[in-house]
C-alpha cells in the first residue's frame, strides 16, 4: 500500500480543508443550536463538485477515486458531522448505488440533478421493527400491471425531509434478504409522508425523518436492479458507507485534537499553560495516536476499494475502530477543556454528541464485531 497521496488528491484535500474552515466551522454551533443546517450549503457543496465525487463526468459528476472521497469525508467530518452526513448519504449511499446498479435512463434521470445539488437522495432501509436485522424488513411492494405499489414505514432516515428521491428497500418475495427489492421513489409521490425527528442527542443540523408509504405507486422503471437483489444493493452501499463514516470520524477526532491543543496552550492553571502538564499531554497523545491509527485503517480499506479487491472486513474494522476512537477523542477533549467543554461556546461538547451516533448507524459496533468475527472464524454469530 502506497501511503503517499497523489498531487491531485492533495489538492482536493486542501480545497476541502480550506472550504470547511471558511463555510462550515464558523457556522456549526449556530446550526446545532437552531437544529437546522442552512440548506444553501447544498448548492455550495455542489459548486465545488463535492456532490459528484466518484460519479462519471458525463453524468455531471467530478470523477475521482474512493480515497479522494474519503479525504473529503474526513474534512467534512472535521467541520460538522451533519454536513458530512448529507453528502455521505445522498452521494455515497444513493447516487453511487444508482451509478452501480441503475439503467442508462435511471442514471440520466437522477445523477446530473444530484451532482448539481438540485436534489438530494435518502436511503430508506431501517424500519421501526428492524434495525440491525435489516434483512427482516416488512415494507411491501406488490406488482400491479406495469407498476409497483409500496406500503410500509421507515425510520431514522437521514436527509428524509429534504430528499427528492428515496431509495426504498421493500419486500417483493418471500422472507429473508433474498425477497427484498430496491426502488427509486420520488418523494413527491402521492401517499408518501415525511416527518422530521426532533430532539436528537446530536446531528442536530441534519434532517432525520420518519417516512410513511401508503400505497405509493411507481412504475417498474423505478426498480433499481433485478427483483430480489435489494438487500445485496443495500449491503454493498453500506460496506463503502462504513469506510466513509470511519473517515468522517477521523475528521471529528482531528477537530477535537486541534481544539484541545489550542486550548491547552492558552489555558493557564497553577501558573503555567495546562499543555505543560504530563496528564494533559497524555490525553492529547491518546487522541492523536488513535486518530492516526484510524486513518490508516480508512486508507487501507479505501486502497482495497480502489484496487478492486475485497474490502468488507477491512471496512468493518475501520468503522469499528474509527467511530469508537472518535467518541473517546471527544470525551477526552471535553476533559481538556474542563468546565468550558461542557458548554457549547466551544465545539467539543457538540463533537461528543455528534460522535455518539457513529457507533450506531450503518451497523452498530456490535454488528461490526460480528461481521469481523464471521469473516475470521467462518461461523455466523448473528
Ligand atoms: P437495534 O438493532 O435494535 O440494536 C439495539 C442494540 O442491540 C444495539 O446495541 C445492537 O448492537 C444490539 N444488537 C442487535 N442485534 C445484535 C446481535 N445479533 N448481537 C449483538 N448485539 C446485537 N437507517 C437508514 O436506513 N437510513 C438512514 O439514513 C439512517 N440514518 C440514521 C441516522 C441517525 C441519526 C440514526 C440514529 C440512525 C440512522 N439509521 C438510518 C438507522 C441505523 O442504521 C439504525 O439505528 C442501526 O442500524 C441500529 O438499529 P436499531 O436502532 O434498530 O437498533
Amino acid at each position: 500500500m502506497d501511503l503517499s497521496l497523489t498531487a491531485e488528491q492533495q489538492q482536493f484535500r486542501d480545497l476541502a480543508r480550506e472550504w470547511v474552515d471558511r463555510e462550515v466551522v464558523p457556522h456549526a454551533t449556530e446550526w446545532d443550536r437552531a437544529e437546522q443546517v442552512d440548506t444553501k450549503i447544498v448548492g455550495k457543496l455542489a459548486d465545488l463538485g463535492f456532490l459528484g465525487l466518484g460519479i462519471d463526468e458525463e453524468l455531471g459528476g467530478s470523477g475521482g477515486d474512493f480515497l479522494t472521497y474519503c479525504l473529503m469525508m474526513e474534512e467534512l467530518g472535521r467541520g460538522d458531522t451533519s454536513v458530512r452526513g448529507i453528502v455521505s448519504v445522498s452521494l455515497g449511499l444513493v447516487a453511487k448505488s444508482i451509478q452501480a446498479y441503475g439503467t442508462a435512463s435511471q442514471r440520466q434521470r437522477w445523477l446530473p440533478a444530484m451532482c448539481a445539488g438540485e436534489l438530494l437522495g435518502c436511503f430508506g432501509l431501517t424500519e421501526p421493527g428492524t434495525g440491525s436485522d435489516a434483512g427482516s424488513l416488512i415494507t411491501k411492494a406488490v406488482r400491479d400491471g406495469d407498476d409497483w405499489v409500496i406500503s410500509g414505514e421507515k425510520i431514522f432516515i437521514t436527509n428524509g425531509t429534504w430528499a427528492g428521491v428515496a431509495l426504498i428497500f421493500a419486500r417483493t418475495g418471500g422472507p429473508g434478504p433474498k425477497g427484498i427489492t430496491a426502488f427509486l421513489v420520488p418523494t413527491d409521490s402521492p401517499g408518501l409522508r415525511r416527518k422530521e425527528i426532533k430532539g436528537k442527542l446530536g446531528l442536530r443540523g441534519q434532517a432525520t425523518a420518519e417516512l410513511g408509504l401508503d400505497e405509493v405507486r411507481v412504475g417498474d422503471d423505478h426498480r433499481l436492479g433485478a427483483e430480489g437483489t435489494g438487500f445485496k444493493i443495500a449491503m454493498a452501499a453500506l460496506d463503502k458507507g462504513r469506510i466513509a463514516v470511519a473517515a468522517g470520524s477521523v475528521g471529528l477526532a482531528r477537530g477535537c485534537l486541534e481544539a484541545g491543543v489550542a486550548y491547552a496552550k492558552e489555558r493557564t492553571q497553577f501558573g503555567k499553560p495546562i499543555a505543560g502538564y504530563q496528564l494533559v499531554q497524555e490525553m492529547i497523545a491518546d487522541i492523536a495516536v488513535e486518530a492516526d491509527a484510524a486513518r490508516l485503517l480508512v486508507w487501507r480499506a479505501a486502497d482495497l476499494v480502489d484496487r478492486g479487491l475485497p474490502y468488507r472486513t477491512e471496512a468493518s474494522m475501520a468503522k469499528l475502530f474509527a467511530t469508537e476512537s472518535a467518541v473517546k477523542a471527544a470525551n477526552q477533549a471535553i476533559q481538556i477543556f474542563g468546565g468550558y467543554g461542557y458548554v457549547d461556546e466551544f465545539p467539543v461538547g457538540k463533537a461528543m454528541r455528534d460522535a455518539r451516533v457513529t457507533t450506531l448507524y450503518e451497523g452498530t459496533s456490535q454488528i461490526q464485531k460480528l461481521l469481523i468475527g464471521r469473516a475470521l472464524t467462518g461461523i455466523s454469530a448473528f
Side-chain angles (χ1 to χ4, degrees):
M1 176 180 159
D2 179 1
L3 288 175
S4 58
L5 298 177
T6 64
E8 215 176 21
Q9 287 165 337
Q10 281 180 44
Q11 254 174 7
F12 185 84
R13 183 199 53 196
D14 294 347
L15 170 77
R17 189 169 285 175
E18 185 273 323
W19 183 83
V20 165
D21 281 336
R22 188 162 35 86
E23 298 283 350
V24 178
V25 172
H27 306 291
T29 299
E30 91 205 39
W31 293 334
D32 183 61
R33 285 179 182 156
E35 288 198 52
Q36 168 81 54
V37 163
D38 181 350
T39 45
K40 283 199 206 89
I41 200 86
V42 174
K44 293 181 185 177
L45 286 160
D47 289 346
L48 288 162
F50 289 0
L51 285 171
L53 200 69
I55 302 293
D56 297 343
E57 289 175 26
E58 62 272 22
L59 292 164
S62 30
D65 58 13
F66 193 74
L67 179 55
T68 308
Y69 176 69
C70 290
L71 297 173
M72 170 174 75
M73 287 292 122
E74 181 177 331
E75 293 308 322
L76 293 177
R78 183 177 58 85
D80 188 1
T81 304
S82 288
V83 174
R84 197 268 300 152
I86 295 171
V87 182
S88 54
V89 171
S90 185
L91 168 61
L93 299 186
V94 183
K96 289 189 178 189
S97 295
I98 298 173
Q99 173 158 272
Y101 302 100
T103 60
S105 66
Q106 285 171 337
R107 289 186 199 158
Q108 208 55 55
R109 171 166 180 189
W110 299 109
L111 294 181
M114 292 179 83
C115 295
E118 288 158 13
L119 67 85
L120 290 175
C122 68
F123 186 82
L125 180 66
T126 304
E127 300 184 357
T130 55
S132 300
D133 185 14
S136 300
L137 61 82
I138 59 171
T139 291
K140 245 191 179 160
V142 179
R143 189 78 194 239
D144 181 22
D146 285 342
D147 291 344
W148 291 92
V149 180
I150 309 174
S151 298
E153 301 288 329
K154 298 287 175 181
I155 196 164
F156 297 132
I157 307 305
T158 304
N159 293 343
T161 49
W162 297 344
V165 61
L167 178 54
I168 296 290
F169 298 91
R171 189 161 297 286
T172 52
K178 289 195 175 128
I180 296 171
T181 302
F183 295 92
L184 293 163
V185 180
T187 52
D188 58 2
S189 302
L192 196 144
R193 289 173 281 114
R194 305 193 265 180
K195 187 171 156 227
E196 189 166 340
I197 300 168
K198 289 285 185 188
K200 290 187 307 237
L201 180 66
L203 286 194
R204 293 204 187 146
Q206 204 173 78
T208 311
E210 295 173 21
L211 302 186
L213 297 107
D214 302 324
E215 301 195 340
V216 174
R217 187 173 280 273
V218 293
D220 189 46
D221 56 349
H222 285 65
R223 176 174 41 80
L224 184 71
E227 257 180 74
T229 61
F231 194 70
K232 220 177 91 193
I233 292 174
M235 290 307 114
L238 290 177
D239 281 342
K240 284 196 182 133
R242 285 167 183 156
I243 308 174
V245 171
S249 304
V250 173
L252 187 144
R254 264 188 46 229
C256 290
L257 179 66
E258 286 166 16
V261 169
Y263 184 80
K265 284 161 80 175
E266 265 172 32
R267 176 71 172 169
T268 301
Q269 288 294 288
F270 301 100
K272 66 175 187 180
I274 59 168
Y277 295 114
Q278 290 180 354
L279 293 177
V280 173
Q281 287 196 6
E282 181 185 43
M283 292 190 276
I284 290 170
D286 284 347
I287 301 173
V289 172
E290 291 215 8
D292 266 16
R295 185 193 278 130
L296 290 171
L297 288 172
V298 168
W299 285 22
R300 178 188 55 173
D303 181 60
L304 292 170
V305 172
D306 284 331
R307 287 195 287 140
L309 296 169
Y311 57 86
R312 172 166 281 178
T313 306
E314 290 77 6
S316 286
M317 288 180 176
K319 203 240 174 205
L320 173 65
F321 187 78
T323 59
E324 293 287 346
S325 325
V327 174
K328 279 194 255 167
N331 196 26
Q332 281 179 312
I334 292 174
Q335 201 65 22
I336 294 170
F337 274 77
Y340 296 93
Y342 202 66
V343 291
D344 74 355
E345 187 188 339
F346 295 100
V348 289
K350 171 181 177 296
M352 176 78 201
R353 290 186 285 104
D354 285 348
R356 198 58 192 79
V357 78
T358 63
T359 68
L360 302 174
Y361 61 17
E362 303 208 16
T364 63
S365 291
Q366 287 73 29
I367 294 302
Q368 305 312 323
K369 287 179 186 174
L370 293 181
L371 291 168
I372 297 164
R374 186 176 64 185
L376 294 176
T377 64
I379 301 168
S380 172
F382 281 91

